[in-house]
Amino acid sequence: MGVGIAEEKSESEEKVWSFCRMPFWQTSSSNGNANGSSSSSSSSMGNNTVYQQQTQNSQLGERSTVTSTNALFSMAKSLIPTRRRLRLDPPNKLYFPYEPGKQVRSAIDIKNTSKSHVAFKFQTNAPKSCYMRPPEGILAPGESLIATVFKFVEPPENNEKPIEKKSRVKFKIMSLKVKGETDYVPELFDEQKDQVSVEQILLVVFLDPERACPALEKLRRQLAEAEAALESRKKPQEDTGPRIVGEGLVIDEWKERRERYLAKQQVEGVGPT
């Protein structure tokens, strides 16, 4: 019994002495292991928080930079004048003879001044009382046409003087660059909205048909040219080349006339004498 107690005491004493014989750095590291791990974990958490805040600030800064850049780009784009593809004559007005209760006509010369094919389109805020001929089309580089605009003139109200009556009707001409040899379809302007340019907004100006002025004379001349161009388009084109009949057989017009002449001579030769 006493021997067992003595052995237990010797083992405990040996552990104490072995602990005392350990180097100072080893004892301190073992004692502060828990404190060190807790402090390192807290410092790593702090570093992660700081990193996340810096990342968020960087992302916010990038977003603000992109937003400000887009705003500046939009502002600069709005300040840059739109490059015209069409030349209009008159440039910003449509002149109509003032004849209340009647349908009157105006004209405008449209010319493609760009180096590519351009589609154009008319729009008005009064489609029930106005229409254009042609309302749209495609012009080759350097090509021009005279469009005719029809408008019904409302009678004056409130004792207004006829010639002083102002109209709220406006016309807008839009243009779109297209590839050559393209047929016009209404979907062109809907499919490429970002490429459409507003060439001009035309205001309505009334002229006294009884009073001669340069604008009225020019209008009458343009209307006459538009009518002549329309009539020429209605006429069938004369075929000046050789005619092809049957399966690719080319008949010379001179040879055909000669054969007809010889046939006529033969008929006359066999007739009564």
Side-chain angles (χ1 to χ4, degrees), residues 42-110:
S42 62
S43 62
S44 62
M45 292 176 63
N47 292 334
N48 290 335
T49 304
V50 172
Y51 176 75
Q52 292 177 357
Q53 291 178 352
Q54 292 177 351
T55 304
Q56 293 176 356
N57 293 335
S58 176
Q59 292 176 353
L60 291 174
E62 291 177 356
R63 291 176 183 174
S64 61
T65 302
V66 172
T67 304
S68 60
T69 302
N70 292 336
L72 290 174
F73 179 76
S74 300
M75 184 181 297
K77 187 177 180 180
S78 63
L79 294 176
I80 297 175
T82 304
R83 185 177 180 179
R84 304 296 182 187
R85 303 184 179 108
L86 304 175
R87 187 183 66 191
L88 309 178
D89 184 22
N92 51 15
K93 296 177 182 179
L94 282 177
Y95 294 98
F96 291 90
Y98 188 78
E99 298 179 11
K102 296 182 180 180
Q103 187 181 68
V104 295
R105 296 181 303 163
S106 182
I108 182 169
D109 191 341
I110 307 173

Side-chain angles (χ1 to χ4, degrees), residues 253-273:
E253 185 176 359
W254 179 85
K255 183 178 179 180
E256 185 180 6
R257 290 181 180 179
R258 184 174 181 274
E259 290 176 352
R260 269 194 256 126
Y261 174 78
L262 293 176
K264 184 178 179 181
Q265 293 293 327
Q266 290 177 0
V267 171
E268 293 177 354
V270 298
T273 56

Side-chain angles (χ1 to χ4, degrees), residues 24-39:
F24 175 76
W25 62 269
Q26 192 172 356
T27 56
S28 61
S29 62
S30 62
N31 290 332
N33 189 16
N35 295 331
S37 60
S38 61
S39 62

Side-chain angles (χ1 to χ4, degrees), residues 10-27:
S10 62
E11 289 178 0
S12 62
E13 289 176 355
E14 183 64 25
K15 291 179 179 180
V16 172
W17 280 107
S18 62
F19 178 77
C20 293
R21 288 196 299 269
M22 290 176 63
F24 175 76
W25 62 269
Q26 192 172 356
T27 56

Side-chain angles (χ1 to χ4, degrees), residues 93-148:
K93 296 177 182 179
L94 282 177
Y95 294 98
F96 291 90
Y98 188 78
E99 298 179 11
K102 296 182 180 180
Q103 187 181 68
V104 295
R105 296 181 303 163
S106 182
I108 182 169
D109 191 341
I110 307 173
K111 183 176 182 179
N112 180 8
T113 57
S114 68
K115 296 181 180 180
S116 60
H117 284 68
V118 174
F120 69 91
K121 181 180 179 180
F122 272 96
Q123 282 188 346
T124 178
N125 59 351
K128 293 183 179 181
S129 61
C130 304
Y131 68 95
M132 289 71 67
R133 189 179 64 188
E136 66 274 320
I138 296 179
L139 296 175
E143 186 180 3
S144 63
L145 62 81
I146 298 179
T148 306

